[in-house]
Amino acid sequence: MRTDSSPGTLPAREHLPAAPAGTPVLDVVIPVYNEEKDLQPCVRRLHEHLARTFPYAFRITIADNASTDTTPQVAARLAAEIPEVTTYRLEQKGRGRALRAVWSASDAPVLAYMDVDLSTDLNALLPLVAPLISGHSDLAIGSRLARSSRVVRGPKREFISRAYNLILRGSLQARFSDAQCGFKAIRRDVAQMLLPLIEDTGWFFDTEMLVLAERAGLRIHEVPVDWVDDPDSTVHIVKTATDDLRGVWRIGRALATGSLPLDRLTRPFGDDPRDREIEDVPRGLARQLVGFCVVGGLSTLFYLLLYSGFRVFTGSQVANALALLVSAIANTAANRRLTFGVRGRGGAVRHQAQGLVVFGIGLSLTSGSLAALGAATSEPAHSTELAVLIAANLAATVLRFLLFRAWVFPDRRDEHEPSNAEPSNAEPATAGAAPDSRLEYGPLPQRPINRPIGRQTDRQTERRYAPYDTTRFRAGDAADRTWRDTTVQLQPVRPTDTDPRNAR
């Protein structure tokens, strides 16, 4: 999707580099409101799990949503006792508001959040963020509705959850399976572009974020989770459901009118063969041809129906002009949105005016063909008129596509995209040079590559590998940042490694 003036701004996905000393790779946000009883045990349990299983530096941020009990004091005490825990105080309620504030201020390249009750099994946390660290996906969500998920909750909540996701699929064509599971993660570069587009500050924040990301073509990774319902949850189901339905209506209306600048979120998928440039073939030509042919076929049927209807009470020339005018306006609008991906109202009037000029050319072709038919025979049959008009419309269609592509909807992305070519004599950056915004972190420690040395014989291949030293340690030891380029060999997580307090 594109507009005339806004090229995509997200770079191609890359493996996230590790942060330098003091900067975490993962920032887990826990939004809380009056959770003085559950906050301390949940945070300590989460910290213990991350220190034991997560191989990079991390941070746990407690986002206090204007709590009126002793939750702020509990959060401050945890932040003072645990170096990886910080607290953030908001004076207004709203889970979406808390996530927006903390994620916008965080310096970690991967941002996540989970509910304070830790209903989701923590063993799913590393699979949740791994695709974001590797560069495979832009967002990741836990799903309680996947086939391999194991969920313990009452029939009422099960029905509401499935009904809500069915509404999303039917109204917004959502393809993700679980919008409201409190277990999600996002890359920071994506969040910086996506958060300004999200209006909701409450429970619908998750759904709005996922719908916009999916409509923009971002990749969403789903992780089946084991989930146990919290019987003491303070969520008001009726109010939340009502607010969610209002949000669905608002998002659906915005998507229908094209008022959301989703082109800001487009990114080049460098590893997708469909996005590779083919020599001597204009970019996007194949997709545009398919879309134009589909729209053109439907427009031709629409035109013929209109012509047949108008021909009942008027002459052939007037019927042709009226049918072509109405179908041309519909054709321009459909090609603007579907074929050339122009969204929003900007330039719509100009595009329709240019489309009417193209319509005039088509009218000349079709009217000329009818005039020629009338000169050839005094009273042509209706089927003959239709055959002549079909041939004339095919010629007008080819000309219309060329004019649409080159004049009405030209591809101006090349005017905004800087050249990727680098001068061959580029000098290395000096110490005082400004660093690249995409390289603000140091590189991840790379695992040494086995390089074969030796020679091959005629009867067999003899390979010897250069030896290298490895350091064996637990994954949690990486958090103290005392290691450098050692080889990480993670210990397997055995059943005895799980938290004994976890009933699952």
Side-chain angles (χ1 to χ4, degrees), residues 127-408:
L128 182 79
V129 301
L132 309 186
I133 295 177
S134 67
H136 174 272
S137 302
D138 300 295
L139 298 90
I141 64 174
S143 176
R144 299 164 295 185
L145 303 181
R147 291 187 177 182
S148 57
S149 300
R150 294 179 296 179
V151 178
V152 178
R153 61 177 168 180
K156 180 180 178 181
R157 287 182 176 269
E158 181 74 14
F159 172 78
I160 293 176
S161 178
R162 292 189 178 274
Y164 177 66
N165 284 279
L166 185 62
I167 292 174
L168 294 180
R169 288 177 177 269
S171 59
L172 301 179
Q173 289 78 48
R175 291 178 292 179
F176 46 85
S177 63
D178 193 350
Q180 290 288 33
C181 181
F183 195 69
K184 295 181 177 68
I186 185 173
R187 289 170 60 107
R188 189 184 62 163
D189 57 347
V190 177
Q192 289 175 344
M193 303 302 300
L194 185 58
L195 291 179
L197 303 181
I198 302 175
E199 296 183 13
D200 192 82
T201 59
W203 294 96
F204 189 70
F205 177 91
D206 301 47
T207 303
E208 187 171 358
M209 177 179 68
L210 293 177
V211 170
L212 297 183
E214 187 176 72
R215 287 300 186 96
L218 300 180
R219 181 175 292 166
I220 302 175
H221 178 75
E222 294 197 17
V223 178
V225 297
D226 298 338
W227 196 85
V228 177
D229 189 19
D230 180 16
D232 299 327
S233 176
T234 58
V235 178
H236 300 286
I237 298 179
V238 176
K239 182 179 183 303
T240 301
T242 303
D243 293 341
D244 287 345
L245 292 178
R246 292 175 180 171
V248 170
W249 168 257
R250 175 175 56 82
I251 291 297
R253 183 178 57 185
L255 292 174
T257 58
S259 60
L260 293 172
L262 299 180
D263 55 293
R264 297 180 185 176
L265 301 175
T266 57
R267 71 153 86 237
F269 305 128
D271 55 349
D272 192 336
R274 296 171 297 179
D275 296 318
R276 296 174 185 169
E277 294 185 2
I278 303 177
E279 186 177 359
D280 298 329
V281 176
R283 178 170 50 186
L285 179 61
R287 181 188 60 79
Q288 291 177 357
L289 277 174
V290 173
F292 186 82
C293 289
V294 173
V295 173
L298 296 176
S299 298
T300 301
L301 294 177
F302 184 50
Y303 162 79
L304 293 176
L305 292 175
L306 291 175
Y307 177 80
S308 299
F310 292 144
R311 190 67 176 85
V312 174
F313 55 85
T314 187
S316 60
Q317 292 288 359
V318 176
N320 172 64
L322 291 176
L324 195 57
L325 175 62
V326 176
S327 62
I329 294 176
N331 181 275
T332 301
N335 278 307
R336 181 178 186 268
R337 176 71 178 271
L338 303 177
T339 303
F340 298 96
V342 180
R343 298 185 178 272
R345 300 178 182 177
V349 176
R350 175 173 58 84
H351 292 156
Q352 285 293 348
Q354 292 173 315
L356 289 179
V357 174
V358 179
F359 150 75
I361 298 175
L363 178 62
S364 301
L365 288 175
T366 54
S367 298
S369 63
L370 286 176
L373 179 63
T377 178
S378 58
E379 293 183 359
H382 183 65
S383 59
T384 305
E385 287 183 350
L386 291 180
V388 171
L389 287 174
I390 290 174
N393 267 283
L394 288 176
T397 297
V398 175
L399 182 60
R400 185 184 303 118
F401 175 76
L402 296 177
L403 290 175
F404 273 176
R405 180 176 174 84
W407 179 46
V408 183

Side-chain angles (χ1 to χ4, degrees), residues 401-419:
F401 175 76
L402 296 177
L403 290 175
F404 273 176
R405 180 176 174 84
W407 179 46
V408 183
F409 307 111
D411 190 354
R412 294 194 173 99
R413 286 177 294 180
D414 294 334
E415 300 176 5
H416 302 277
E417 295 177 356
S419 174

